[in-house]
Amino acid sequence: MNSVSDRKNRPNAFADRIAGFDDPSMGDERERDVILRAYTLGAVVSTYVFFALGLIFAVLGAGLWSVLIVLGSIVTSGVISGYCKRENVDFSMAMARVSPRRLIVGNIVGAVFAIVWVGAIVFHMSEGYPLIDVGMGNQTMPSAPPSTYSIAIGAAFGFIIALTLMTISRVRKIKQARAEAAAAAYIEDED
């Protein structure tokens, strides 16, 4: 039976039940490892599917409503970060250790999605019709003034600023990880 102290020591017990970590379906240690890696892959793929759906809806004329779909993709990272925080794991530190190749590929894929997505919305707003008209958008929408392109310029600057801030944060976290590793090695040497 779970006592109150067990609940305090297991802050993610409810999340573990939702994910089925304590379920017999997890199998032995090897099967659990494979299943957890599959869950991880599923989360990454679903994030890209959300991005793709947002892009498709923007191209078809759903315009700004596609923002809701793209924002839905943030749920995955929020859940992961929250779970780690409740288990006293510094998720931002773990993300700082992402291999440079994976980081670059992820940023390129994200940038391409963002550029095409914002471009489709700007096109729809400026021309009055979507790139592919399937009756989802307002077909009689008047052309927007040229200032509509400021959305694209703002999005580009926002992307550059976000990328810069993420890079600065990553460099700081890497330095922190190296300092912690050096301190741990120094303590081991003293023993």
Side-chain angles (χ1 to χ4, degrees):
M1 297 218 164
N2 287 344
S3 68
V4 176
S5 64
D6 287 342
R7 288 185 196 144
K8 288 181 182 177
N9 292 336
R10 298 231 18 220
N12 283 327
F14 181 67
D16 289 350
R17 267 183 281 160
I18 290 172
F21 293 146
D22 297 328
D23 192 79
S25 66
M26 283 297 197
D28 62 19
E29 202 172 298
R30 185 194 67 79
E31 291 170 330
R32 174 180 283 244
D33 181 57
V34 170
I35 291 168
L36 291 176
R37 284 187 282 137
Y39 275 151
T40 302
L41 176 63
V44 171
V45 169
S46 70
T47 299
Y48 286 120
V49 167
F50 270 110
F51 284 148
L53 285 173
L55 176 62
I56 289 168
F57 275 83
V59 167
L60 296 178
L64 294 177
W65 286 104
S66 64
V67 170
L68 297 174
I69 297 170
V70 173
L71 289 177
S73 67
I74 296 172
V75 172
T76 303
S77 62
V79 169
I80 292 167
S81 181
Y83 188 97
C84 289
K85 185 176 184 178
R86 289 188 301 272
E87 293 290 333
N88 294 322
V89 172
D90 189 351
F91 184 67
S92 60
M93 181 71 81
M95 293 312 299
R97 294 186 300 254
V98 170
S99 72
R101 181 175 182 221
R102 180 175 168 217
L103 182 68
I104 290 169
V105 168
N107 285 341
I108 289 172
V109 169
V112 168
F113 272 128
I115 290 167
V116 176
W117 177 62
V118 170
I121 292 173
V122 168
F123 180 85
H124 187 184
M125 291 175 73
S126 63
E127 298 299 320
Y129 55 88
L131 288 167
I132 301 173
D133 192 0
V134 295
M136 290 180 77
N138 185 353
Q139 297 166 355
T140 60
M141 185 166 70
S143 293
S147 65
T148 302
Y149 293 103
S150 64
I151 294 172
I153 294 168
F157 278 118
F159 181 75
I160 291 169
I161 290 169
L163 193 59
T164 303
L165 291 175
M166 288 187 320
T167 302
I168 291 170
S169 174
R170 184 170 193 264
V171 168
R172 283 183 167 172
K173 289 293 184 176
I174 288 172
K175 286 180 182 178
Q176 181 182 353
R178 286 181 183 155
E180 288 174 4
Y186 178 75
I187 291 171
E188 277 185 21
D189 289 343
E190 286 185 354
D191 291 337

